[in-house]
């Protein structure tokens, strides 16, 4: 979502006459878009600020100015604290306030911190993108009401907010006209998307399943994905879409976090292991082509060896196509950060290493099962090598193909011949 927000902020600034630069020395403004989800990501801000303030000081010596701006979830959570910790920061904008930046730069007042919680104003202030990229992100929903006990999102992105269907549709149409063939619908909780439309004088609720159907009718749009969904919000209508909507890709990111019911309860996840496993079974039954990825947290306060083994058992049962796994990081203000039964770093490190080696093994096995198969690949751009193009399969696996003709933006059948690490080399199938 930060990637999407950065693009949107860039569009807004370009509309207001600014130009993007990759060179700090010539920049008048430096913007850091930050993540608060784990401590490591969050602390990165302060080391980056240290480096940036030196640029600012050097510019000052030669009579030039530089504005340093912090946005994103650290800005929302820490506000004034950032200004106190680093005096060279000029403004702090939370994720729901970044649209105000061009106006504040023009008519600066005395306020330095903007951390409004309402998304509505932001979405109506965004500028249509001029991007010609083949695969684009579109935020459809922000915030979260689930309050998992480890997670900072409800405190930084705020309450659940669903963007209007009209607004999303208009953005999708613009992106497809500009050349997009694939849209990934984004949100902290996309499966709880809900927005009203008036049809034949009556109010109708549009959910994620309806949105997938509406967007799939856009001519020229070939692929739809969504990210991230909570297992308890996946309804039968959405499953129905996975069965009949050929534009909806057969790959689902479905975070479980832990395989232990005891830990899931402490995490306030609202689902248990058997609910999760039966959901996976149900989805595979309606579409056997479906593959899954997940998120895992190891070393949650109080996690025993037995709890950890139960996570590994779920991994063995599902055999995810790919997954993310993280060491538990206590986040300020979250209920689990107040616990006192923290797990030893060494134990968490060992558990994470063990889990990741199994997840990686499964990912490789999943990929190897595609060797010599022909799959549809959507090419998004050039690779690093001469005449090389890069694309993705329906299951998001990267594929490299050599071709003297441009493949960019094309959806073509490719025979997957070789697997290096996690990406394939293939040949166009004739
Ligand atoms: N809404 C999504 C997740 C969003 S956050 C969901 O419900 O699953 C992305 C991932 O970061 C989470 O799935 C979780 O695995 C990880 N994460 C969140 N808070 C964390 C913390 N305090 N420590 C470690 N990992 C965390
Ligand atoms: Fe965080 Fe996801 Fe839980 Fe919401 S559902 S609190 S975003 S982990």
């Amino acid at each position: 979502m930060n990637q999407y927000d950065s693009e949107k902020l860039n569009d807004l600034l370009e509309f207001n006459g600014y130009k993007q630069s990759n060179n700090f020395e010539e920049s008048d403004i430096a913007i850091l878009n930050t993540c608060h989800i784990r401590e490591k990501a969050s602390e990165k801000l302060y080391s980056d600020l240290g480096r940036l303030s030196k640029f600012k000081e050097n510019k000052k010596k030669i009579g030039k100015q530089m504005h340093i701006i912090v946005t994103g979830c650290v800005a929302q959570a820490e506000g004034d604290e950032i200004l106190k910790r680093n005096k060279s920061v000029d403004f702090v904008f939370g994720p729901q306030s970044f649209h105000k930046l061009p106006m504040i730069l023009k008519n600066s007042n005395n306020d330095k911190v903007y951390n409004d919680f309402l998304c509505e104003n932001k979405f109506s202030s965004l500028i249509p993108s001029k991007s010609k990229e083949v695969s684009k992100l579109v935020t459809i929903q922000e915030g979260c009401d689930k309050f998992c006990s480890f997670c900072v999102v409800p405190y930084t992105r705020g309450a659940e907010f669903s963007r209007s269907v009209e607004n999303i549709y208009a953005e999708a149409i613009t992106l497809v006209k500009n050349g997009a063939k694939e849209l990934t619908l984004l949100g902290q909780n996309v499966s709880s998307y809900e927005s009203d439309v008036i049809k034949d004088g009556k109010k109708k609720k549009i959910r994620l399943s309806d949105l997938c159907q509406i967007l799939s009718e856009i001519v020229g749009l070939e692929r739809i994905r969504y990210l991230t969904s909570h297992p308890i919000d996946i309804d039968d209508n959405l499953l129905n879409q996975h069965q009949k909507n050929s534009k909806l890709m057969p790959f689902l990111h479905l975070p479980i976090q832990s395989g232990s019911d005891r830990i899931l309860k402490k995490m306030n996840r609202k689902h248990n292991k058997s609910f999760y496993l039966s959901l996976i079974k149900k989805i595979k039954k309606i579409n056997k082509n479906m593959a899954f990825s997940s998120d895992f947290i190891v070393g949650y306060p109080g996690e025993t060896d037995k709890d950890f083994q139960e996570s590994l058992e779920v991994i063995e049962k599902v055999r995810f196509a790919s997954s993310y796994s993280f060491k538990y990081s206590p986040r300020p203000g979250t209920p689990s950060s107040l616990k006192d039964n923290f797990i030893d770093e060494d134990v968490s490190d060992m558990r994470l290493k063990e889990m990741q080696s199994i997840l990686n093994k499964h990912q490789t096995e999943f990929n190897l099962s595609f060797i010599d198969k022909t799959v549809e690949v959507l090419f998004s751009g050039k690779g690093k090598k001469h005449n090389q193009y890069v694309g993705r399969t329906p299951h998001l696996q990267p594929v490299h193909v050599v071709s003297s003709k441009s493949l960019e933006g094309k959806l073509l059948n490719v025979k997957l011949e070789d697997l290096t690490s996690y990406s394939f080399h293939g040949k166009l199938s004739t």
Side-chain angles (χ1 to χ4, degrees):
M1 189 167 279
N2 270 12
Q3 189 185 329
Y4 176 83
D5 288 350
S6 296
E7 274 184 39
K8 286 289 148 198
L9 183 51
N10 192 49
D11 292 342
L12 268 176
L13 287 168
E14 281 191 353
F15 182 78
N16 281 277
Y18 296 89
K19 259 196 188 147
Q20 197 176 9
S21 154
N22 290 322
N23 178 355
F24 281 131
E25 272 146 48
E26 65 174 29
S27 300
D28 305 310
I29 312 177
I31 306 171
L32 291 168
N33 193 3
T34 58
C35 177
H36 202 47
I37 198 84
R38 283 169 294 274
E39 195 177 2
K40 216 165 160 189
S42 184
E43 275 304 308
K44 201 169 172 289
L45 165 68
Y46 293 102
S47 54
D48 285 346
L49 280 178
R51 282 189 292 127
L52 270 181
S53 15
K54 292 208 179 85
F55 277 110
K56 185 168 175 163
E57 277 164 32
N58 289 343
K59 287 195 83 166
K60 210 170 171 186
K61 281 182 199 149
I62 54 167
K64 287 190 172 169
Q65 245 200 338
M66 185 192 217
H67 277 109
I68 298 183
I69 291 149
V70 179
T71 184
C73 288
V74 184
Q76 186 72 32
E78 299 194 0
D80 277 330
E81 192 56 33
I82 298 173
L83 298 170
K84 278 188 210 142
R85 265 181 84 167
N86 191 306
K87 301 271 179 276
S88 59
V89 175
D90 294 278
F91 297 107
V92 173
F93 287 85
Q96 313 309 359
S97 313
F98 70 71
H99 59 287
K100 294 182 183 158
L101 176 59
M103 186 188 74
I104 302 297
L105 285 171
K106 265 187 212 148
N107 313 305
S108 185
N109 56 26
N110 287 330
D111 295 340
K112 285 179 167 263
V113 178
Y114 298 83
N115 45 12
D116 207 355
F117 246 151
L118 291 175
C119 312
E120 211 151 356
N121 296 340
K122 177 178 77 179
F123 284 117
S124 51
S125 312
L126 300 181
I127 301 289
S129 170
K130 290 197 184 124
S131 157
K132 296 198 176 345
E133 284 166 47
V134 175
S135 178
K136 296 297 297 177
L137 306 170
V138 177
T139 291
I140 61 162
Q141 180 277 335
E142 269 197 53
C144 183
D145 297 341
K146 297 271 189 301
F147 290 92
C148 299
S149 54
F150 53 82
C151 184
V152 82
V153 167
Y155 312 94
T156 55
R157 289 269 171 181
E160 279 178 10
F161 171 84
S162 293
R163 198 175 166 190
S164 76
V165 180
E166 292 85 354
N167 210 287
I168 297 168
Y169 191 76
E171 178 162 1
I173 290 281
T174 308
L175 291 171
V176 173
K177 267 194 193 144
N178 289 352
K181 298 267 163 69
E182 175 177 86
L183 297 181
T184 301
L185 312 180
L186 281 187
Q188 273 81 38
N189 241 316
V190 277
S191 43
S192 63
Y193 177 85
E194 194 172 274
S195 181
D196 290 335
V197 290
I198 305 291
K199 205 178 168 202
D200 306 325
K202 281 194 198 136
K203 222 186 207 181
K204 186 177 183 290
K205 285 222 178 300
I206 300 292
R207 305 221 1 119
L208 179 62
S209 48
D210 305 304
L211 197 58
C212 290
Q213 182 56 43
I214 294 168
L215 294 176
S216 69
E217 284 159 27
I218 298 178
V219 177
L221 179 65
E222 307 280 0
R223 288 180 169 185
I224 299 173
R225 303 179 186 276
Y226 59 84
L227 186 83
T228 296
S229 37
H230 192 291
I232 61 160
D233 292 327
I234 306 263
D235 60 18
D236 285 348
N237 292 335
L238 193 55
L239 295 188
N240 196 21
Q241 280 289 307
H242 277 291
Q243 189 170 32
K244 64 166 204 206
N245 188 342
S246 59
K247 290 191 181 179
L248 189 57
M249 290 297 100
F251 185 62
L252 184 56
H253 184 59
L254 199 59
I256 180 170
Q257 314 299 355
S258 167
S260 152
D261 283 347
R262 205 180 68 86
I263 295 292
L264 285 172
K265 200 159 183 209
K266 284 179 190 287
M267 285 177 164
N268 190 29
R269 277 297 286 183
K270 303 175 178 75
H271 61 77
N272 59 20
K273 178 173 77 177
S274 72
F275 177 88
Y276 184 88
L277 291 175
S278 26
L279 181 62
I280 297 258
K281 214 168 159 188
K282 197 167 162 191
I283 302 173
K284 274 197 171 153
K285 206 168 164 195
I286 58 126
N287 181 346
K288 63 176 179 11
N289 208 7
M290 288 294 293
F292 301 89
S293 66
S294 194
D295 287 346
F296 290 89
I297 295 178
V298 303
Y300 183 82
E303 185 190 65
T304 61
D305 271 340
K306 185 171 171 282
D307 295 317
F308 174 64
Q309 288 307 322
E310 288 186 58
S311 291
L312 298 187
E313 276 164 32
V314 166
I315 291 172
E316 279 302 336
K317 275 206 174 107
V318 181
R319 305 186 84 81
F320 294 97
S322 66
S323 273
Y324 301 92
S325 44
F326 312 100
K327 202 161 65 168
Y328 170 72
S329 168
R331 307 310 296 127
T334 58
S336 58
S337 68
L338 305 173
K339 299 216 155 73
D340 51 11
N341 46 355
F342 290 114
I343 303 300
D344 241 31
E345 283 283 310
D346 291 352
V347 173
S348 294
D349 283 338
M350 265 165 50
R351 286 181 185 165
L352 187 65
K353 212 168 148 202
E354 185 178 352
M355 182 180 276
Q356 287 181 339
S357 86
I358 299 171
L359 289 170
N360 291 344
K361 188 175 119 234
H362 289 175
Q363 182 167 1
T364 303
E365 282 168 10
F366 176 76
N367 284 340
L368 284 173
S369 72
F370 283 82
I371 293 287
D372 291 337
K373 282 196 181 145
T374 299
V375 296
E376 229 172 12
V377 174
L378 177 61
F379 288 92
S380 54
K382 291 197 112 184
K384 285 191 189 131
K385 294 194 182 140
H386 183 61
N387 279 347
Q388 192 190 49
Y389 290 86
V390 194
R392 296 261 179 181
T393 69
H395 296 106
L396 263 187
Q397 299 139 300
V399 180
H400 293 89
V401 170
V402 173
S403 161
S404 53
K405 278 193 209 139
S406 172
L407 303 182
E408 204 166 332
K410 298 216 163 88
L411 188 64
L412 298 166
N413 281 328
V414 174
K415 186 170 179 211
L416 305 177
E417 296 189 324
D418 203 10
L419 179 70
T420 336
S421 199
Y422 295 106
S423 70
F424 288 96
H425 292 269
K427 276 213 178 86
L428 292 182
S429 125
T430 43

